[in-house]
Amino acid sequence: MSSRVCKNCGCRDIDIDQARGDAVCMGCGSVLEDNIIVSEVTFVENSGGGSSAVGQFVSSDGSGKATTLGGVFHGSVGKESRAQTLQNGKRQINNLGHQLQLNQHCLNTAFNFYKMAVSKHLTRGRKTLHVVAACLYLVCRTEGTPHMLLDLSDLLQVNVYVLGKTFLMLARELCINAPAIGRKGFECSK
């Protein structure tokens, strides 16, 4: 209960729920206040790498009653994770691409395919190296380089059928037509 009074019915039984951030009259059900603001929020990193918001709810009636806020905040964690995923993918594309002696255009195209795969959540549940290899092979097929999926399989010591399944899924989901081997010249090799 609160010392507040409902403007609609005059009832003094007001339920203030700090977790939801609202104040509701128990007599008539009117929402008297919502989006109760938080004053002076700071963020503290916890041991798991997440962030916790630390602050106090402040009521608009100026009663001075404030409760602390300490829930876990994950707002920027997703963005950092995505950036880290992209950075890791780019590094692996460059490493594997240099072993295949692909030029920078091919590496950039493979990274663009990888970014598309990440944005469509096609990397979830798959090993990054498999997705990277599939993106590189997709470039090899679209650009007509002399590389086969078996070359990537040998480099990574991964079953060729596993890479093939990932490649076919990427080509289908990204709507990229991968022409048959031998259609174009070898313009992406050094």
Side-chain angles (χ1 to χ4, degrees):
M1 247 176 71
S2 161
S3 61
R4 300 179 64 182
V5 177
C6 176
K7 296 175 186 170
N8 297 324
C9 70
C11 181
R12 291 188 174 274
D13 188 13
I14 310 296
D15 178 40
I16 300 174
D17 187 341
Q18 301 295 345
R20 286 190 322 254
D22 62 12
V24 178
C25 173
M26 299 307 288
C28 67
S30 296
V31 177
L32 304 177
E33 188 175 1
D34 62 350
N35 298 327
I36 299 173
I37 63 167
V38 178
S39 175
E40 298 181 27
V41 177
T42 58
F43 297 95
V44 179
E45 187 172 338
N46 60 30
S47 63
S51 297
S52 297
V54 180
Q56 294 184 331
F57 283 109
V58 179
S59 178
S60 66
D61 67 358
S63 66
K65 181 181 177 192
T67 55
T68 59
L69 163 74
V72 175
F73 179 78
H74 294 287
S76 65
V77 173
K79 290 179 184 175
E80 290 173 8
S81 175
R82 179 182 165 93
Q84 192 171 18
T85 299
L86 291 174
Q87 184 179 15
N88 186 34
K90 185 170 189 157
R91 182 179 42 78
Q92 289 184 8
I93 285 170
N94 287 331
N95 287 342
L96 196 54
H98 287 301
Q99 290 179 44
L100 294 172
Q101 298 182 342
L102 295 174
N103 66 23
Q104 194 59 47
H105 167 73
C106 290
L107 298 179
N108 292 340
T109 305
F111 182 59
N112 287 335
F113 289 156
Y114 184 78
K115 287 192 293 190
M116 290 167 55
V118 169
S119 71
K120 290 187 170 219
H121 308 293
L122 302 176
T123 57
R124 288 188 182 163
R126 293 178 177 83
K127 292 187 177 185
T128 302
L129 215 48
H130 295 178
V131 177
V132 162
C135 289
L136 283 166
Y137 186 61
L138 198 53
V139 169
C140 291
R141 289 282 294 270
T142 57
E143 296 293 330
T145 70
H147 301 94
M148 295 187 300
L149 192 58
L150 193 58
D151 297 330
L152 289 157
S153 173
D154 287 344
L155 274 175
L156 299 175
Q157 295 297 300
V158 174
N159 186 319
V160 71
Y161 294 106
V162 172
L163 292 182
K165 185 177 178 183
T166 306
F167 162 73
L168 290 172
M169 178 276 306
L170 278 181
R172 182 184 68 244
E173 294 297 321
L174 299 178
C175 300
I176 297 170
N177 183 22
I181 298 173
R183 259 197 177 163
K184 284 181 94 177
F186 301 118
E187 53 274 287
C188 271
S189 58
K190 285 186 176 179

